[in-house]
Amino acid sequence: MIRIAAALAVAGLVMGGPAAMAQPKAKAAATYKAPRLPGAKLPDLNGVWQVMNSAGWDVEPHAARAALQMRPGPIIPVPAKEVLALGAVGAVPGGLGVVEGGEIPYTPDAKKIRDENRANYLDRDPEVKCYLPGVPRANYMHLPFQIFQSDKSLMIAYEYAGAVRNVMFDDPGPPPVDSWMGQSVAKWEGDTLVITVTGQNDRTWFDRAGNHHSANMTVVERYTPTGPNTMRYEATITDPDTFTRPWKMSMNLYKRVGEDARLNQFKCVEFVEELMYGHLRKEPLK
């Protein structure tokens, strides 16, 4: 009986530990003082950052599934013919999701488009064609990004497709044209970098699951250092053409260290030439 009680006590500590320690951890994160830029009062965000989640596949909570695009099977859906040979490599890992509240608040019409996107993933996902990913998607893809920061300027470079964001601290006014990565205007709120992104076109997605938006979307990002090699990332999405209300996603970013603290080159345009233009050959490949 004593052994059983001891075992239950240990189990209770293990199971209850995270919950019991949540408040002190939150307090520690809130009071964390990030290193400063040399000769400046601003927190130093320089470095190579990357997520450790499955938001790039689907920002909503999701179970693992056999493929990004499925087709009807004799009993249950099976992978689409185009991805069948990939087997487990083409499967989707499960994820807890990063959307606060769990579900994106689509309008009925916009949700139908999301479902159509998902059913036609191979033809519609801009990532397949190496188009620029947009914001916030660029921040939680499977490849890292690097922040270059001084006391007066800040730039974010992404390994995927060589995407770049020039983050401005002087607001130039409305974006002159819509673009894939939009216009980023920043300010500081204490140690939190707040970036407002406008002027994105409507062709980018949030993930590989067909979640989409219109050209009227505004994204407000918040980057808050929470530890020596961690940063909290939040993005609030406002788009009345697509969603019934503003909604937010949040996740942790992790800083790469050592020999991993660099970006490799992944300029994928040349990798999709055959996919996009192979049919124009005089004699298309079979």
Side-chain angles (χ1 to χ4, degrees), residues 10-248:
V10 171
L13 286 173
V14 173
M15 296 178 65
M21 296 174 64
Q23 189 170 353
K25 284 185 178 180
K27 184 177 180 181
T31 58
Y32 172 72
K33 191 71 171 179
R36 307 288 108 174
L37 285 174
K41 297 181 179 180
L42 299 175
D44 187 353
L45 306 185
N46 281 293
V48 177
W49 300 87
Q50 191 168 10
V51 299
M52 295 179 66
N53 59 37
S54 61
W57 279 267
D58 193 341
V59 295
E60 293 183 319
H62 60 281
R65 55 183 183 269
L68 285 161
Q69 183 168 318
M70 307 291 287
R71 57 176 169 164
I75 300 177
I76 59 173
V78 298
K81 182 179 180 180
E82 295 85 348
V83 297
L84 184 61
L86 291 174
V89 174
V92 179
L96 299 176
V98 297
V99 177
E100 295 194 2
E103 185 177 357
I104 297 175
Y106 281 110
T107 65
D109 289 342
K111 191 167 187 178
K112 290 179 182 177
I113 295 174
R114 192 282 307 274
D115 294 342
E116 292 172 2
N117 288 341
R118 188 170 295 180
N120 297 278
Y121 160 79
L122 290 169
D123 294 326
R124 294 192 182 185
D125 186 358
E127 183 191 3
V128 171
K129 300 179 176 65
C130 190
Y131 295 149
L132 294 178
V135 180
R137 187 178 187 181
N139 293 324
Y140 49 82
M141 299 182 77
H142 61 292
L143 296 173
F145 64 92
Q146 185 166 0
I147 296 177
F148 298 89
Q149 179 195 4
S150 71
D151 59 340
K152 296 181 180 179
S153 61
L154 189 144
M155 184 180 77
I156 305 177
Y158 297 90
E159 186 167 321
Y160 178 82
V164 175
R165 294 169 63 190
N166 179 27
V167 180
M168 299 173 285
F169 287 90
D170 293 324
D171 190 346
V177 294
D178 288 345
S179 62
W180 288 91
M181 299 299 289
Q183 175 177 284
S184 296
V185 179
K187 64 180 180 179
W188 289 96
E189 293 182 358
D191 277 9
T192 298
L193 176 67
V194 182
I195 305 178
T196 300
V197 187
T198 55
Q200 295 191 79
N201 65 37
D202 61 356
R203 301 181 67 186
T204 62
W205 285 5
F206 292 111
D207 52 28
R208 294 172 175 170
N211 289 304
H212 66 102
H213 59 86
S214 79
N216 289 326
M217 177 179 69
T218 297
V219 181
V220 178
E221 304 175 287
R222 298 179 67 87
Y223 299 78
T224 306
T226 54
N229 296 307
T230 59
M231 184 158 55
R232 190 66 175 170
Y233 176 74
E234 299 175 331
T236 300
I237 314 297
T238 302
D239 180 1
D241 291 349
T242 311
F243 311 113
T244 58
R245 57 173 174 79
W247 57 279
K248 185 168 74 170

